[in-house]
Amino acid sequence: EAQVTQNPRYLITVTGKKLTVTCSQNMNHEYMSWYRQDPGLGLRQIYYSMNVEVTDKGDVPEGYKVSRKEKRNFPLILESPSPNQTSLYFCASSLSLGMNTEAFFGQGTRLTVV
Amino acid sequence: AQKVTQAQTEISVVEKEDVTLDCVYETRDTTYYLFWYKQPPSGELVFLIRRNSFDEQNEISGRYSWNFQKSTSSFNFTITASQVVDSAVYFCALSEADTGRRALTFGSGTRLQVQP
């Protein structure tokens, strides 16, 4: 089954404790990205990757890191989480850069930073 | 810069009513793509439709229909004979073909409550 898998689904952590949210897709997609969803703001892009070892900032990259060592994986790293990073996070992947393909989204990760 | 506006924050209807969710977008590009996604209470995002800027034909899929009008920069979504299972948050999104990062710009979403 074609899917984007995120882990964990739910996470409560404390300020400053490094964490990683994993994202994996099984569709051989080139393009992957991370979004965060906040009430009243919709989803906003954090980082994206056009292919292995190619990553770049989206609209709200501050406080986040990513890596793309393999095509299928695109982890989101919070080196020192803060309460304003409490949000619902989505990983997405697309076949290619062309937006004639819809983005497949993971199930979401609800992060709470206390 | 691209922008998507969903002015309706929340809509409540009774089952079997028709409901239209509005979406207005802004872009300077001539080539772009418009999307609708559904987010049910379980939280995942479900792709509903993609439309490119050169295709203004309206589309119908079962009880769902979409009205794309470039003249008013709108891409409205109508659910006919709504059902309780339609209760969800619906997002309209835009992607400009010319930007390298291919980000989806989302509206703030419309929460639809369908009462039995």
Side-chain angles (χ1 to χ4, degrees):
Chain A
E1 181 190 351
Q3 58 186 1
V4 178
T5 304
Q6 294 177 228
N7 279 298
R9 293 289 312 279
Y10 302 91
L11 179 60
I12 301 174
T13 191
V14 296
T15 299
K17 186 177 180 183
K18 180 179 178 179
L19 67 92
T20 299
V21 183
T22 64
C23 174
S24 180
Q25 49 94 3
N26 62 359
M27 296 167 279
N28 202 36
H29 284 174
E30 290 180 347
Y31 183 83
M32 297 184 74
S33 59
W34 277 100
Y35 290 82
R36 61 178 286 173
Q37 181 183 351
D38 301 291
L41 297 176
L43 283 79
R44 295 173 294 168
Q45 192 186 57
I46 303 170
Y47 265 95
Y48 67 101
S49 170
M50 296 189 185
N51 214 323
V52 175
E53 302 293 359
V54 181
T55 64
D56 210 342
K57 297 176 181 178
D59 294 313
V60 288
E62 293 76 23
Y64 304 95
K65 284 174 57 177
V66 293
S67 70
R68 188 93 181 273
K69 293 187 171 59
E70 308 164 278
K71 201 172 189 179
R72 63 183 293 129
N73 295 323
F74 190 45
L76 179 69
I77 303 154
L78 284 72
E79 294 271 3
S80 183
S82 61
N84 65 12
Q85 293 178 297
T86 293
S87 188
L88 178 58
Y89 291 87
F90 286 98
C91 179
S93 74
S94 301
L95 180 59
S96 67
L97 290 178
M99 285 307 292
N100 57 347
T101 57
E102 71 271 18
F104 290 80
F105 284 86
Q107 320 94 300
T109 296
R110 189 167 292 282
L111 172 65
T112 302
V113 183
V114 298
Chain B
Q2 54 189 23
K3 184 180 175 183
V4 176
T5 302
Q6 294 180 256
Q8 303 151 308
T9 307
E10 192 159 342
I11 300 175
S12 184
V13 299
V14 177
E15 223 176 1
K16 296 199 176 81
E17 281 186 36
D18 298 347
V19 58
T20 295
L21 310 182
D22 298 333
C23 173
V24 174
Y25 62 91
E26 294 176 30
T27 176
R28 284 179 289 191
D29 280 10
T30 55
T31 304
Y32 51 89
Y33 299 87
L34 294 162
F35 300 76
W36 275 95
Y37 287 87
K38 173 182 180 180
Q39 187 176 46
S42 49
E44 74 272 22
L45 284 165
V46 178
F47 167 80
L48 296 178
I49 190 172
R50 173 191 61 246
R51 172 68 69 219
N52 76 55
S53 52
F54 298 109
D55 182 3
E56 285 193 74
Q57 273 195 323
N58 292 331
E59 181 154 340
I60 298 174
S61 176
R63 295 183 298 105
Y64 294 170
S65 62
W66 290 269
N67 184 348
F68 177 28
Q69 292 198 338
K70 284 177 83 167
S71 60
T72 55
S73 297
S74 64
F75 187 44
N76 297 337
F77 172 31
T78 297
I79 303 175
T80 303
S82 59
Q83 300 176 0
V84 172
V85 294
D86 296 326
S87 296
V89 179
Y90 291 86
F91 290 99
C92 179
L94 164 74
S95 177
E96 292 172 334
D98 291 343
T99 59
R101 62 186 174 96
R102 298 289 190 268
L104 288 164
T105 295
F106 284 82
S108 54
T110 297
R111 181 178 299 277
L112 174 65
Q113 289 268 38
V114 182
Q115 310 287 348

